[in-house]
């Protein structure tokens, strides 16, 4: 039985992957462990006992920081951005299936915000609102700033989806007498539903975690990333790590839920086809 000899490229890639995993999960592991410090524990190792004290402390009134309200704002903003990103990305994907005048310029204008520094966009939107006599707020200016970040990704995903989508399914439905709406509702939408869930997940997570584009546009009230950043210079207890652990688990829960829905939709579509 012969074994293929692994070249230098394999070992270099393996080393790179190990370093990547350490950079990604090493800090998360440290935060997770330190969040279980004892009541008299500090922000660094070694740990002074083990307890869930700091998780319960999250629900108590804090001298600095408003966890509950900032989480609600981030969650609500994420849902708003997710809904608009899914709808607009879907409509853009459908529109760009056919060439029209100005489509190329419109495409590059849409994705241009990906190469512009986020802090510049945040600053520009904040200044525009102030100059226009409008008060920046998380539900208005920050909402628009987040869409400049999520929409290009959603549009690019839908372009890739429709690029692989065969029009033969729609032609067959129309040959059987289906209207344009019936074709979309019963043929196109079920087939692209898993991709739409992915776009929604992308939109929600990008908005929920966004810091730079929220910094100058959130107004008086902070979202959760801004609240956490502000706490890093004021909070000197492991309650900050407990908050990090809770928000990380929440993010993973959302991702697993979306993956479960995508898997269910894919299996359902496979049974139908």
């Amino acid at each position: 039985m012969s074994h293929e000899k692994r070249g230098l490229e394999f070992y270099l890639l393996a080393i790179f992957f190990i370093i990547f995993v350490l950079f990604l999960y090493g800090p998360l592991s440290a935060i997770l462990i330190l969040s279980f410090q004892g009541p008299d524990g500090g922000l660094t190792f070694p740990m002074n006992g083990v307890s869930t004290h700091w998780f319960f402390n999250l629900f108590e009134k804090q001298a600095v920081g408003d966890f509950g309200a900032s989480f609600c704002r981030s969650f609500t903003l994420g849902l708003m951005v997710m809904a608009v990103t899914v709808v607009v990305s879907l409509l853009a994907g459908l529109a760009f299936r056919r060439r029209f005048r100005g489509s190329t310029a419109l495409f590059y204008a849409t994705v241009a915000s990906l190469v512009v520094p986020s802090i510049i966009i945040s600053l520009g939107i904040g200044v525009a609102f102030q100059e226009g006599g409008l008060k920046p707020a998380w539900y208005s200016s920050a909402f628009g700033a987040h869409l400049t970040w999520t929409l290009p990704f959603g549009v690019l995903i839908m372009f890739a989806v429709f690029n692989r989508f065969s029009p033969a399914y729609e032609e067959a439905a129309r040959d059987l007498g289906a209207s344009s709406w019936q074709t979309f509702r019963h043929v196109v939408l079920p087939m692209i539903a898993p991709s739409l869930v992915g776009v929604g997940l992308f939109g929600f997570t990008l908005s929920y975690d966004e810091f730079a584009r929220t910094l100058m546009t959130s107004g008086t009230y902070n979202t959760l990333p801004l609240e956490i950043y502000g706490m890093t210079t004021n909070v000197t207890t492991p309650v900050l790590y407990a908050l990090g652990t809770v928000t990380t688990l929440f993010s993973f829960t959302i991702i697993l839920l979306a993956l479960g829905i995508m898997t269910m939709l894919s299996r359902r579509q496979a049974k139908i086809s």
Side-chain angles (χ1 to χ4, degrees), residues 7-19:
L8 177 62
E9 298 85 355
F10 172 82
Y11 295 102
L12 291 176
L13 183 60
I15 293 173
F16 176 81
F17 179 74
I18 292 173
I19 295 174

Side-chain angles (χ1 to χ4, degrees), residues 83-134:
V84 174
T85 299
V86 170
V87 173
V88 175
S89 297
L90 172 60
L91 296 178
L94 292 171
F96 275 87
R97 295 182 73 186
R98 296 182 179 180
R99 300 285 296 182
F100 57 88
R101 182 175 296 179
S103 59
T104 302
L106 181 59
F107 169 77
Y108 285 112
T110 302
V111 301
S113 64
L114 295 179
V115 298
V116 178
S118 296
I119 192 65
I120 298 299
I121 291 181
S122 176
L123 178 61
I125 293 177
V127 170
F129 265 68
Q130 291 176 356
E131 291 298 322
L134 301 174

Side-chain angles (χ1 to χ4, degrees), residues 80-90 147 150-151 154-155 199-200 203:
M80 292 166 55
V81 171
M82 177 185 70
V84 174
T85 299
V86 170
V87 173
V88 175
S89 297
L90 172 60
L147 287 176
T150 61
L151 277 178
V155 169
V199 171

Side-chain angles (χ1 to χ4, degrees), residues 49-197:
V50 178
S51 73
T52 57
H53 168 79
W54 301 109
F55 291 95
F56 289 103
N57 188 251
L58 279 174
F59 300 98
E60 300 174 0
K61 184 175 179 59
Q62 303 291 322
V64 178
D66 187 357
F67 309 139
S70 60
F71 169 79
C72 290
R73 284 189 287 270
S74 286
F75 185 75
T76 304
L77 181 58
L79 291 179
M80 292 166 55
V81 171
M82 177 185 70
V84 174
T85 299
V86 170
V87 173
V88 175
S89 297
L90 172 60
L91 296 178
L94 292 171
F96 275 87
R97 295 182 73 186
R98 296 182 179 180
R99 300 285 296 182
F100 57 88
R101 182 175 296 179
S103 59
T104 302
L106 181 59
F107 169 77
Y108 285 112
T110 302
V111 301
S113 64
L114 295 179
V115 298
V116 178
S118 296
I119 192 65
I120 298 299
I121 291 181
S122 176
L123 178 61
I125 293 177
V127 170
F129 265 68
Q130 291 176 356
E131 291 298 322
L134 301 174
K135 187 177 181 181
W138 62 271
Y139 52 81
S140 57
S141 53
F143 175 59
H146 284 203
L147 287 176
T148 65
W149 182 232
T150 61
L151 277 178
F153 284 107
V155 169
L156 289 174
I157 292 173
M158 294 312 301
F159 280 4
V161 170
F162 281 116
N163 188 49
R164 297 180 300 169
F165 189 85
S166 174
Y169 298 105
E170 297 167 277
E171 295 172 359
R174 284 192 289 267
D175 288 342
L176 294 174
S179 64
S180 298
W181 168 249
Q182 289 174 326
T183 301
F184 173 76
R185 170 68 179 81
H186 299 288
V187 178
V188 178
L189 189 58
M191 296 183 70
I192 65 173
S195 300
L196 290 178
V197 175

